[in-house]
Amino acid sequence: MNTSRRQRVCVLGSTGSIGTNTLDVLARHPEQFEVFALSAMSRVDALLAQCLQWQPRFAVMPEAAAARELRRLLAEQGSRTEVLDGAQALSDVAAHPDVDAVMAAIVGAAGLAPCLAAARAGKRLMLANKEAIVVGGALFMQAVEEGGATLLPVDSEHSAIFQCLPEDRTTWAQRIDHIVLTASGGPFRQRDPATLADVTPEQACAHPNWVMGRKISVDSATMMNKALEVIEARWLFNLKPEQIRVLIHPQSIIHSMVVCRDNSVLAQLGTPDMRVPIAYALSFPQRIESGASRLDLLAGRDLSFEEADERRFPGLHLSWQALRAEEGATAVLNAANEEAVAAFLDRQLRFDHIHAVNAGVLASVHPEAGQCDSLDGLLALDARARLAARERIAQLRA
């Protein structure tokens, strides 16, 4: 990491939970980092406040109307931040020659294109958008390798695995027997599966340990978030599906574990605060202060583990099914889940029907030959899966 000057950081999805936590960490180290670009989907007021505080060179909003409003408000304040609009602008700022590091925190498949752009431009790519690698798979990892990018996981579980492994990635395969991703179990860990039909969006978003956005909170409640993390881990650490396991760990203190070939178990522990993996990704291979509270091992909290109940969390097992299917199946699963969760949050789909949509679309939509070899092909597959998901949602509402 070049420390001769402040590192210029592009934060994609800056108004979300990961984005705001990233800015919190950056604010603690003004001598090391500066904000080069910020982006948000539609929250003009929130992005305006961030721009006035950080004065980035660029601010990006995909929707032209929102960008016009932001541009007007910034002009009234005398800000010199240039406002860009459109999906291409996200890729442009992510790959900008003056950018050193990109925090990829855009929710969903929409983050794939700017992640690919940052990877191909050889950036320090801090990946909080797991959907990019779930959808992109081999294409995404090829872009990282060919571009010479430094790929750093920000999901707490994958950051934990990464922190347990040596910097020399060529030795990972020789060391790892398997990994264990931990999961809190979300708000319905002990709830009777027969009662899940009545779950409301408010209940599903009330995570017991983590403060997260609405989509990822619902994914945590269904354990689809963990399913996507299983897929992400396969690519990040070049593992076979059977080398990835999941355990429920309600306390969210052990963030994940590596079981080595000699049966040693390496674990990363800490308070459930996303600023820890964010700070590690920003400073790797060094460590900087994150703002998170220190874990008190004498606080009297027991550490417990449980098997993931397939009746309560059937979606988790779709991850291994998709990984063993044809290439592109993981992109189909992700698209179906995004549509199902959006419908649930819009009160158009029952909570327990999210899995029905995901399983049905995964079984019925199959990639065409060569479709996963390009961004356009993957986006076309994503669109086809979304259409199938919307049709199933309509059928379940009828």
mmCIF file of all heavy atoms in Angstrom, residues 224 313-316 318 340 351-360:
data_model
loop_
_atom_site.group_PDB
_atom_site.id
_atom_site.type_symbol
_atom_site.label_atom_id
_atom_site.label_comp_id
_atom_site.label_asym_id
_atom_site.label_seq_id
_atom_site.Cartn_x
_atom_site.Cartn_y
_atom_site.Cartn_z
ATOM 1 N N MET A 224 -30.546 -16.773 3.627
ATOM 2 C CA MET A 224 -30.056 -16.648 2.256
ATOM 3 C C MET A 224 -28.766 -15.840 2.219
ATOM 4 O O MET A 224 -27.925 -16.023 1.333
ATOM 5 C CB MET A 224 -31.116 -16.002 1.364
ATOM 6 C CG MET A 224 -32.096 -16.973 0.739
ATOM 7 S SD MET A 224 -31.290 -18.288 -0.224
ATOM 8 C CE MET A 224 -30.416 -17.342 -1.451
ATOM 9 N N PHE A 313 -34.531 -22.897 7.903
ATOM 10 C CA PHE A 313 -33.668 -22.169 6.971
ATOM 11 C C PHE A 313 -33.407 -22.999 5.710
ATOM 12 O O PHE A 313 -32.261 -23.345 5.404
ATOM 13 C CB PHE A 313 -32.340 -21.821 7.641
ATOM 14 C CG PHE A 313 -32.466 -21.049 8.915
ATOM 15 C CD1 PHE A 313 -31.987 -21.572 10.107
ATOM 16 C CD2 PHE A 313 -33.061 -19.794 8.932
ATOM 17 C CE1 PHE A 313 -32.085 -20.861 11.293
ATOM 18 C CE2 PHE A 313 -33.171 -19.071 10.116
ATOM 19 C CZ PHE A 313 -32.685 -19.602 11.298
ATOM 20 N N PRO A 314 -34.443 -23.340 4.943
ATOM 21 C CA PRO A 314 -34.219 -24.188 3.760
ATOM 22 C C PRO A 314 -33.381 -23.508 2.688
ATOM 23 O O PRO A 314 -32.719 -24.182 1.895
ATOM 24 C CB PRO A 314 -35.645 -24.472 3.265
ATOM 25 C CG PRO A 314 -36.452 -23.308 3.749
ATOM 26 C CD PRO A 314 -35.861 -22.959 5.087
ATOM 27 N N GLY A 315 -33.387 -22.178 2.675
ATOM 28 C CA GLY A 315 -32.649 -21.466 1.641
ATOM 29 C C GLY A 315 -31.157 -21.662 1.719
ATOM 30 O O GLY A 315 -30.462 -21.595 0.690
ATOM 31 N N LEU A 316 -30.631 -21.898 2.911
ATOM 32 C CA LEU A 316 -29.191 -22.081 3.071
ATOM 33 C C LEU A 316 -28.672 -23.190 2.163
ATOM 34 O O LEU A 316 -27.607 -23.071 1.560
ATOM 35 C CB LEU A 316 -28.872 -22.401 4.534
ATOM 36 C CG LEU A 316 -27.434 -22.810 4.843
ATOM 37 C CD1 LEU A 316 -26.467 -21.683 4.504
ATOM 38 C CD2 LEU A 316 -27.299 -23.218 6.303
ATOM 39 N N LEU A 318 -29.663 -24.183 -0.659
ATOM 40 C CA LEU A 318 -29.665 -23.891 -2.094
ATOM 41 C C LEU A 318 -28.274 -23.475 -2.577
ATOM 42 O O LEU A 318 -27.982 -23.571 -3.773
ATOM 43 C CB LEU A 318 -30.673 -22.792 -2.415
ATOM 44 C CG LEU A 318 -32.158 -23.133 -2.217
ATOM 45 C CD1 LEU A 318 -33.026 -21.909 -2.517
ATOM 46 C CD2 LEU A 318 -32.572 -24.311 -3.094
ATOM 47 N N ALA A 340 -37.548 -11.722 -4.791
ATOM 48 C CA ALA A 340 -38.412 -12.223 -3.729
ATOM 49 C C ALA A 340 -38.341 -11.335 -2.493
ATOM 50 O O ALA A 340 -39.364 -11.022 -1.873
ATOM 51 C CB ALA A 340 -38.030 -13.660 -3.380
ATOM 52 N N PHE A 351 -43.296 -14.148 3.861
ATOM 53 C CA PHE A 351 -41.914 -14.447 4.235
ATOM 54 C C PHE A 351 -41.541 -15.887 3.890
ATOM 55 O O PHE A 351 -40.465 -16.144 3.336
ATOM 56 C CB PHE A 351 -41.728 -14.192 5.735
ATOM 57 C CG PHE A 351 -40.341 -14.476 6.227
ATOM 58 C CD1 PHE A 351 -39.328 -13.550 6.077
ATOM 59 C CD2 PHE A 351 -40.046 -15.689 6.858
ATOM 60 C CE1 PHE A 351 -38.040 -13.815 6.535
ATOM 61 C CE2 PHE A 351 -38.765 -15.961 7.320
ATOM 62 C CZ PHE A 351 -37.760 -15.017 7.160
ATOM 63 N N ASP A 352 -42.423 -16.828 4.203
ATOM 64 C CA ASP A 352 -42.090 -18.234 3.953
ATOM 65 C C ASP A 352 -42.194 -18.616 2.487
ATOM 66 O O ASP A 352 -41.845 -19.746 2.127
ATOM 67 C CB ASP A 352 -42.971 -19.156 4.811
ATOM 68 C CG ASP A 352 -44.452 -19.009 4.500
ATOM 69 O OD1 ASP A 352 -44.863 -17.936 4.016
ATOM 70 O OD2 ASP A 352 -45.206 -19.973 4.743
ATOM 71 N N HIS A 353 -42.644 -17.702 1.635
ATOM 72 C CA HIS A 353 -42.680 -17.964 0.198
ATOM 73 C C HIS A 353 -41.406 -17.504 -0.516
ATOM 74 O O HIS A 353 -41.244 -17.772 -1.710
ATOM 75 C CB HIS A 353 -43.899 -17.293 -0.436
ATOM 76 C CG HIS A 353 -45.167 -18.059 -0.203
ATOM 77 N ND1 HIS A 353 -46.421 -17.529 -0.502
ATOM 78 C CD2 HIS A 353 -45.391 -19.298 0.278
ATOM 79 C CE1 HIS A 353 -47.347 -18.428 -0.198
ATOM 80 N NE2 HIS A 353 -46.746 -19.500 0.275
ATOM 81 N N ILE A 354 -40.524 -16.808 0.200
ATOM 82 C CA ILE A 354 -39.258 -16.395 -0.417
ATOM 83 C C ILE A 354 -38.493 -17.626 -0.902
ATOM 84 O O ILE A 354 -37.979 -17.662 -2.030
ATOM 85 C CB ILE A 354 -38.406 -15.574 0.577
ATOM 86 C CG1 ILE A 354 -39.092 -14.235 0.884
ATOM 87 C CG2 ILE A 354 -36.997 -15.339 0.016
ATOM 88 C CD1 ILE A 354 -38.383 -13.423 1.965
ATOM 89 N N HIS A 355 -38.439 -18.647 -0.068
ATOM 90 C CA HIS A 355 -37.725 -19.868 -0.460
ATOM 91 C C HIS A 355 -38.404 -20.545 -1.655
ATOM 92 O O HIS A 355 -37.716 -21.062 -2.546
ATOM 93 C CB HIS A 355 -37.662 -20.847 0.712
ATOM 94 C CG HIS A 355 -37.079 -22.175 0.334
ATOM 95 N ND1 HIS A 355 -35.763 -22.333 -0.026
ATOM 96 C CD2 HIS A 355 -37.657 -23.415 0.223
ATOM 97 C CE1 HIS A 355 -35.539 -23.601 -0.321
ATOM 98 N NE2 HIS A 355 -36.658 -24.276 -0.180
ATOM 99 N N ALA A 356 -39.724 -20.538 -1.682
ATOM 100 C CA ALA A 356 -40.436 -21.179 -2.798
ATOM 101 C C ALA A 356 -40.069 -20.521 -4.116
ATOM 102 O O ALA A 356 -39.881 -21.196 -5.132
ATOM 103 C CB ALA A 356 -41.940 -21.116 -2.552
ATOM 104 N N VAL A 357 -39.980 -19.193 -4.109
ATOM 105 C CA VAL A 357 -39.580 -18.468 -5.325
ATOM 106 C C VAL A 357 -38.156 -18.841 -5.707
ATOM 107 O O VAL A 357 -37.856 -19.170 -6.872
ATOM 108 C CB VAL A 357 -39.711 -16.943 -5.117
ATOM 109 C CG1 VAL A 357 -39.116 -16.187 -6.301
ATOM 110 C CG2 VAL A 357 -41.164 -16.553 -4.909
ATOM 111 N N ASN A 358 -37.240 -18.794 -4.744
ATOM 112 C CA ASN A 358 -35.830 -19.066 -5.034
ATOM 113 C C ASN A 358 -35.608 -20.482 -5.559
ATOM 114 O O ASN A 358 -34.903 -20.689 -6.558
ATOM 115 C CB ASN A 358 -34.994 -18.848 -3.773
ATOM 116 C CG ASN A 358 -34.965 -17.400 -3.331
ATOM 117 O OD1 ASN A 358 -35.293 -16.508 -4.105
ATOM 118 N ND2 ASN A 358 -34.577 -17.159 -2.094
ATOM 119 N N ALA A 359 -36.216 -21.456 -4.889
ATOM 120 C CA ALA A 359 -36.037 -22.847 -5.308
ATOM 121 C C ALA A 359 -36.658 -23.100 -6.672
ATOM 122 O O ALA A 359 -36.080 -23.807 -7.513
ATOM 123 C CB ALA A 359 -36.650 -23.777 -4.263
ATOM 124 N N GLY A 360 -37.827 -22.528 -6.920
ATOM 125 C CA GLY A 360 -38.501 -22.733 -8.196
ATOM 126 C C GLY A 360 -37.740 -22.144 -9.363
ATOM 127 O O GLY A 360 -37.614 -22.773 -10.427
#
